[in-house]
């Protein structure tokens, strides 16, 4: 009897490890910030991307690391129930539209200029959102401020 119970529990644990994340729209609505545990990695990705675009300015970009970190900490992603969003940073607010696609596994952002960014959702709940950012090609964890 114990062997059957242990086997059933083990099978459940193994199978749940491969469960596809499906996100509820109501869990997405609200204000989100990048979790403090992701700030340093995000800053490094932003710097890397900026240096790739402006290799001659590498020293100047690296010298601004603290300022970039402050900006990343201040970023807010405000997802609204009407399928609009605002990405708010010290430089201002950038509005757009969002959609949950691929059976709740992708969060698609359509920016004002018409460009689209698709973020793969790894984990989601009412308090935590973990996604692979399509622009930075990096995993970010968002929490409510």
């Amino acid at each position: 009897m114990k062997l059957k119970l242990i086997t059933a529990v083990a099978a459940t644990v193994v199978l749940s490890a491969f469960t596809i994340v499906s996100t509820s729209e109501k869990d997405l609505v609200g204000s989100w910030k990048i979790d403090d545990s992701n700030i340093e990695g995000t800053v490094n990705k932003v710097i890397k991307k900026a240096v790739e675009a402006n290799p001659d300015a590498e020293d100047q970009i690296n010298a601004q690391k603290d300022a970039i970190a402050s900006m990343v900490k201040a970023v807010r992603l405000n997802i609204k129930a009407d399928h609009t969003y605002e990405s708010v940073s010290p430089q201002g607010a950038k509005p757009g539209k969002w959609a949950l696609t691929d059976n709740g596994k992708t969060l698609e952002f359509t920016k004002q200029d018409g460009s689209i960014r698709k973020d793969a959702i790894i984990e989601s709940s009412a308090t935590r959102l973990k996604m692979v950012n399509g622009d930075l090609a990096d995993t970010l964890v968002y929490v409510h401020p």
Side-chain angles (χ1 to χ4, degrees), residues 2-141:
K2 284 185 183 181
L3 181 59
K4 286 183 181 182
L5 180 61
I6 291 171
T7 304
V9 170
T12 301
V13 170
V14 168
L15 292 174
S16 67
F18 297 103
T19 301
I20 302 294
V21 172
S22 182
T23 303
S24 156
E25 285 190 4
K26 70 178 177 117
D27 286 345
L28 294 175
V29 174
S31 182
W32 298 91
K33 71 172 191 147
I34 297 173
D35 188 60
D36 291 341
S37 65
N38 275 150
I39 298 295
E40 185 176 344
T42 301
V43 168
N44 291 336
K45 282 285 191 172
V46 168
I47 288 173
K48 181 181 177 186
K49 195 169 184 177
V51 168
E52 286 172 359
N54 302 292
D56 294 337
E58 182 173 5
D59 292 339
Q60 295 156 332
I61 293 168
N62 283 320
Q64 298 300 316
K65 186 172 184 173
D66 290 340
I68 294 169
S70 293
M71 287 188 284
V72 169
K73 288 178 186 178
V75 168
R76 296 295 180 267
L77 176 61
N78 299 321
I79 299 177
K80 301 174 185 178
D82 67 357
H83 286 261
T84 62
Y85 77 92
E86 282 184 322
S87 177
V88 181
S89 72
Q91 292 85 13
K94 295 181 181 178
K97 296 182 179 183
W98 68 272
L100 198 54
T101 62
D102 196 24
N103 292 322
K105 295 180 275 187
T106 303
L107 186 54
E108 188 173 284
F109 297 99
T110 303
K111 301 175 187 177
Q112 243 184 343
D113 65 4
S115 63
I116 296 173
R117 183 182 94 207
K118 295 181 180 185
D119 291 359
I121 299 171
I122 298 171
E123 173 188 333
S124 69
S125 71
T127 59
R128 183 176 156 96
L129 181 60
K130 185 175 183 180
M131 301 186 295
V132 177
N133 181 292
D135 285 346
L136 295 176
D138 192 22
T139 302
L140 294 177
V141 175

